[in-house]
Structures are given as C-alpha cells and as structure tokens.
Amino acid sequence: MKRILFVASECVPFIKTGGLADVVGSLPKYFNKEEFDVRVMVPKYCAIPDTYKQQMKYKTHFYLNLAWRSQYVGVLEMELDGVTFYFIDNEFYFVGSTPYGNIYEDIEKFAFFSKAALSALPLIDFRPDIIHCHDWQTGLLPVYLKDTFSQNSFFQGIKSIMTIHNLKFQGVWDMKTVKDISGLSSYYFAPDKLEAYGDANYLTGGIVYADYVTTVSSSYAQEIKMPFYGEGLDGLMRARSNELEGIVNGIDYNEYNPETDPYIFKTYNSKNFRKEKVKNKRGLQEELGLELDEKKFMIGIVSRLTDQKGLDLIEYVIEEICNEDTQLVVLGTGEEKYENLFRHYAWKYNNRVSANIFYSNDRAHKIYAACDAFLMPSLFEPCGLSQLMSLRYGTVPIVRETGGLRDTVEPYNEFESIGTGFSFSNYNAHEMLSTLRYAKHIFYNKKREWNKIIDRGMAADFSWANSAKRYEELYDRL
C-alpha cells in the first residue's frame, strides 16, 4: 500500500476560491483504494461551514516554534466520501472570511502551515511515502523536508511532488522577513534555491527542492519553459525539465452530468440532446429576460473577468459579437472595467445580452446546459475547467490554442469531419471573431455537422479517473 498525502491551501467542499480546490477535493476519490491510501491536509479556516466543523474529531495538539515564536497547532480529522481529511487548527492565522488576505500575512500563515503539516505527521501516526504539494502556499514544505526534518529518521526517504496550478502566483516577499518567519538559514536564500530577483520566492523553493514537478496540462508544461509564459521562472523550469510533467485536470462527472443535474431546466444525454437541450435555452432566455427564440446562436462565458481570460479581445470586437442573430450570456466577477463593459452592453442590447456580475453555481450549470457555444479566448490557461464542463454538456467550446485549452479541445475540421470545438492560435481579436463567425456558419447552415461536433464532445472522457491513472504511474515511478 502506497501512502500519499495531499497538502494544499484549499479544497472542496470545505473552502474554495478557484480550480485548485476542485483538484484537491476531487482527485483523491479516484485512486485505486487497494493500492493507494491518499489523504488530504488543509488549514482549518474559520470560514469553513459549520456543518463540516461539527463532523471534525480532535486528534492531537502541540506547540510549534516558528523562528522565535511558539504557536499552537491543533489537528482535527474527518472522513468524507472514503477520504481522510486532516485540518491544521490555529485561530491566529486562519481567522477571517476568506482563505487569503494581505500577501505579507499570507507569507507567514503558509510558512506556519507548511511546518505544522510536517510536524503533525508523527503524532497522527501517518507516514506518507510521498507528500504532494499544491501551489506556492506549500512551497516551503519540500524545503523544510530536506532541511531540519531530514535529520529525523521518521522523515527520511519521504519524497515530495510540487504541482503548479498557476505559475503567475508565486508567494514573493522580501528576504529579511522570510528568513525571520521561516527560521531557515542563510544557505537557502541563494539564487539557485529560495531567492528570485532579490526577493524570497516560496514557489521557487518548492520547485527546486521537490523530487518531481507537475503542472495541470502537457502544453502548459512546455509553455512555462518559455519567457512569455514562464513568469520569470522559465530558466528554472528548463533546468528541471527532466522532472517536469503535465497531467491534465479532470472534472467530477457525478456533479457535472446533464442527465442528473438538479440545477438545469431539463435533463438530457448524448442520445436525446437534439430534442431536449434546447429546452434549457428557452428556460434560460425566459429567466434572464432575453428574446425567446431558440434559433438564435447563444454564446456563454463563465469566468473570472480578468485580462488572463482574454477579455480584452472580447472588448475590442464586442459590438460585432452582439450581432442580431446572437445572444451573449456572461457570469462572473473581476476587474471593474470588464464588469462595466458587460453591464453596458446588457443595457444597450437588453434582449440579447445578459450580464450576471456575481457568482452562482446553479446559474453556471444552467449556462453550460443552455448555450450553443462557450467562449474562452485566454491569454494563458494552465488547464481550464470550463471548456471540459461545456464539452460534457454538449456546448461547443471556442478557445484560443494555449495550455490546457489546446490539450482538451480538438479543432473542428470540416473536410475530415473531426473535432470537438473551434480554436484560433494568435492572440488577436479579429482572429477570434472570424473563428466565432465560422462556428456560427456551421451552426446555422450545417446543422448535422454541428450535432456531430456535440456528439464527439459529449463522448470525450475528461473524468478524474484518467488523471488519477497518470498520477498513480508517477507515484509508482517515484
């Protein structure tokens, strides 16, 4: 039996701000239980819903030296869907309504969490063969593991993996403060270790000291070796390229299932979508006050409203997108200029544009089920989950060929009748627009071809079972 411990800063269903939580919460359920004992460790935030807090059982507590301070560490445990979860408790650090706050507070909070996670292991009687760390918040863990902890026989031989979910976020702060907080010696604050461009960088530490590095799609693993995508760490990614692999994320096929989804207007499957899917479109048009016309080409966007998601391209040609034969439905929050852009067009074309500037899980499900196409023209996209959800619901993705979007959406080829969506390669608004118009042409004039694209998309398998197999192979190798 191989023992694996996931350590991360967020995890569904307890706390979530992004795709990281989906991975940490969903993936452990899909490993082969006879060969792998996979457990998860996360902070016990005050923001975790009480229903879960009441199920947690006290396991142990101790005091931890973080540089010159002595801090309380409580460890709680609960089981959910056959997976054991451990929670590191400290109200000084994990108070507040969100998991993250000011970066200078987070820097200390996650140094504490990384050290506490390791210190708790001998006391909870679980010695993992591999500790699987996620993103910069756990970047110090592989460093600590190779530093003071390696002198203890309990920790000798434990391997570590660092998974990068988004290289843009690295946990950077000044060296003097991080030295003081972490208690690590000056030896670690050199350019080939924790230092990057004069500051201390948690993610750099994790990448340098982990035994293996993964990211969330094959294309992104290649892209981050280049300056454009490398966020200043492309040299380090090239140096570690022999131990770097991309494994594409999956989605939970029980939660995202058009046949059983409780949130959508009318359930359907890959056999009856030609008749039933359109009822979701009518339902959404009615709910949002759009013109009731099932023949109109409906485009969905469910996204954080930021530059990374390619919204500057949409802004450039939005007048052409909001054409008379098209409806546009947007859901999400983010930068003020994009929130106001969509609000303005919803006011200008109130019967064909709907701006939902908030986040709602049930509204998101309705959009995936109702729309004809799903637009995702990202500047960079480590993996992306929205295009996987839209494929699952028979909503055709229109994406830019980058990162996980390139790996998961096969571009439509009318001569060979293959493909599950439409894509364009250059980061260019008019290239996106012409791809959108081509998709619209197929939708209006070649309906049988359009339905075949949906057939192939709904048949594609991006469940977690595939990703879990790849991770199992990696754990075996390590």
Side-chain angles (χ1 to χ4, degrees):
M1 178 72 92
K2 297 178 188 69
R3 292 181 297 278
I4 315 291
L5 180 70
F6 277 44
V7 183
S9 61
E10 54 183 88
C11 169
V12 295
F14 310 109
I15 193 105
K16 171 180 173 169
T17 66
L20 164 65
D22 291 310
V23 178
V24 177
S26 305
L27 181 56
K29 293 187 280 199
Y30 289 86
F31 288 103
N32 178 349
K33 297 278 192 290
E34 284 162 23
E35 281 183 51
F36 294 89
D37 179 2
V38 182
R39 304 186 188 185
V40 181
M41 190 176 273
V42 289
K44 181 181 177 277
Y45 298 107
C46 288
I48 292 175
D50 284 339
T51 46
Y52 297 117
K53 284 187 193 160
Q54 284 154 13
Q55 297 173 51
M56 296 175 190
K57 295 188 184 74
Y58 167 83
K59 191 85 175 154
T60 184
H61 78 275
F62 56 94
Y63 283 83
L64 171 80
N65 290 329
L66 191 68
W68 47 271
R69 306 166 201 68
S70 178
Q71 296 283 16
Y72 169 83
V73 182
V75 184
L76 294 98
E77 177 185 29
M78 75 174 273
E79 194 177 296
L80 188 69
D81 297 333
V83 178
T84 301
F85 292 89
Y86 297 108
F87 299 87
I88 299 292
D89 182 26
N90 177 301
E91 290 195 357
F92 174 71
Y93 288 119
F94 302 131
V95 76
S97 57
T98 60
Y100 313 119
N102 298 314
I103 182 69
Y104 57 85
E105 292 167 341
D106 288 350
I107 286 289
E108 183 174 334
K109 177 195 297 185
F110 291 113
F112 164 80
F113 175 58
S114 296
K115 200 168 186 181
L118 285 170
S119 305
L121 293 177
L123 300 171
I124 59 174
D125 195 27
F126 181 66
R127 184 190 177 279
D129 299 299
I130 295 170
I131 299 178
H132 192 154
C133 307
H134 296 265
D135 269 354
W136 75 263
Q137 292 88 347
T138 54
L140 285 188
L141 200 147
V143 187
Y144 281 134
L145 191 58
K146 294 276 200 293
D147 180 47
T148 44
F149 285 88
S150 64
Q151 293 155 24
N152 180 333
S153 59
F154 178 90
F155 292 96
Q156 281 165 13
I158 294 180
K159 296 279 204 293
S160 62
I161 295 173
M162 188 80 222
T163 292
I164 302 164
H165 295 265
N166 191 338
L167 194 60
K168 198 173 181 67
F169 305 104
Q170 299 176 7
V172 179
W173 202 243
D174 74 275
M175 239 162 4
K176 184 169 175 286
T177 309
V178 174
K179 244 185 228 179
D180 169 53
I181 288 168
S182 65
L184 292 164
S185 69
S186 298
Y187 165 80
Y188 288 97
F189 294 88
D192 60 341
K193 299 180 183 72
L194 265 171
E195 191 254 347
Y197 306 102
D199 285 318
N201 184 314
Y202 279 31
L203 186 62
T204 298
I207 294 167
V208 169
Y209 280 94
D211 295 289
Y212 210 85
V213 182
T214 71
T215 137
V216 288
S217 70
S218 316
S219 288
Y220 193 61
Q222 298 308 315
E223 287 171 352
I224 57 179
K225 296 178 201 167
M226 298 183 252
F228 182 78
Y229 294 99
E231 302 290 347
L233 299 185
D234 50 290
L236 175 58
M237 301 320 304
R238 289 194 295 275
R240 292 238 55 187
S241 58
N242 288 340
E243 299 88 20
L244 173 66
E245 185 179 344
I247 299 176
V248 78
N249 283 340
I251 55 171
D252 190 330
Y253 268 30
N254 297 325
E255 187 186 345
Y256 295 98
N257 183 356
E259 207 162 4
T260 57
D261 193 330
Y263 297 119
I264 65 178
F265 295 102
K266 182 75 177 118
T267 54
Y268 59 96
N269 57 34
S270 55
K271 293 187 177 66
N272 66 11
F273 74 85
R274 287 166 177 79
K275 277 217 283 288
E276 303 298 325
K277 183 171 159 53
V278 75
K279 293 174 183 171
N280 287 289
K281 190 196 238 180
R282 283 204 293 266
L284 191 65
Q285 284 171 336
E286 206 165 308
E287 188 173 289
L288 300 178
L290 298 171
E291 186 186 339
L292 297 176
D293 182 354
E294 63 191 55
K295 295 202 162 40
K296 284 211 166 166
F297 187 62
M298 187 187 268
I299 302 169
I301 298 172
V302 177
S303 173
R304 276 184 297 118
L305 305 181
T306 63
D307 283 338
Q308 182 209 323
K309 299 296 182 183
L311 295 185
D312 49 338
L313 300 188
I314 293 173
E315 181 179 30
Y316 203 73
V317 292
I318 189 163
E319 196 63 62
E320 287 97 322
I321 292 172
C322 301
N323 215 315
E324 292 195 350
D325 58 357
T326 307
Q327 289 182 338
L328 178 66
V329 181
V330 181
L331 173 69
T333 59
E335 290 172 31
E336 203 177 337
K337 66 172 178 176
Y338 295 128
E339 292 186 353
N340 290 337
L341 171 79
F342 291 121
R343 282 191 187 109
H344 171 74
Y345 275 87
W347 163 80
K348 187 174 179 182
Y349 300 122
N350 61 2
N351 66 342
R352 54 178 189 258
V353 179
S354 172
N356 304 270
I357 309 301
F358 52 85
Y359 186 73
S360 150
N361 189 39
D362 61 339
R363 177 74 47 97
H365 281 248
K366 285 174 181 170
I367 292 172
Y368 290 125
C371 290
D372 300 300
F374 191 89
L375 183 57
M376 225 173 153
S378 303
L379 175 63
F380 66 94
E381 194 64 66
C383 175
L385 298 175
S386 294
Q387 81 281 13
L388 304 182
M389 294 164 191
S390 64
L391 286 167
R392 177 82 166 136
Y393 282 83
T395 296
V396 178
I398 301 172
V399 301
R400 188 174 97 81
E401 291 164 17
T402 181
L405 300 177
R406 178 195 285 144
D407 294 346
T408 54
V409 178
E410 184 189 5
Y412 171 62
N413 179 329
E414 64 178 271
F415 305 106
E416 295 174 30
S417 196
I418 55 171
T420 57
F422 295 83
S423 67
F424 60 101
S425 61
N426 294 309
Y427 195 70
N428 178 295
H430 285 92
E431 197 168 322
M432 174 188 78
L433 186 63
S434 70
T435 305
L436 227 162
R437 285 176 172 158
Y438 177 49
K440 215 193 288 189
H441 160 71
I442 302 295
F443 173 79
Y444 281 121
N445 304 319
K446 298 189 173 179
K447 200 65 181 181
R448 283 189 64 188
E449 279 296 300
W450 184 265
N451 286 335
K452 283 183 196 165
I453 296 172
I454 296 177
D455 275 328
R456 291 189 289 268
M458 290 183 85
D461 183 3
F462 290 106
S463 65
W464 275 117
N466 283 344
S467 313
K469 277 198 196 74
R470 294 278 306 278
Y471 280 111
E472 285 176 3
E473 287 162 17
L474 171 58
Y475 297 155
D476 285 336
R477 282 211 305 278
L478 271 183

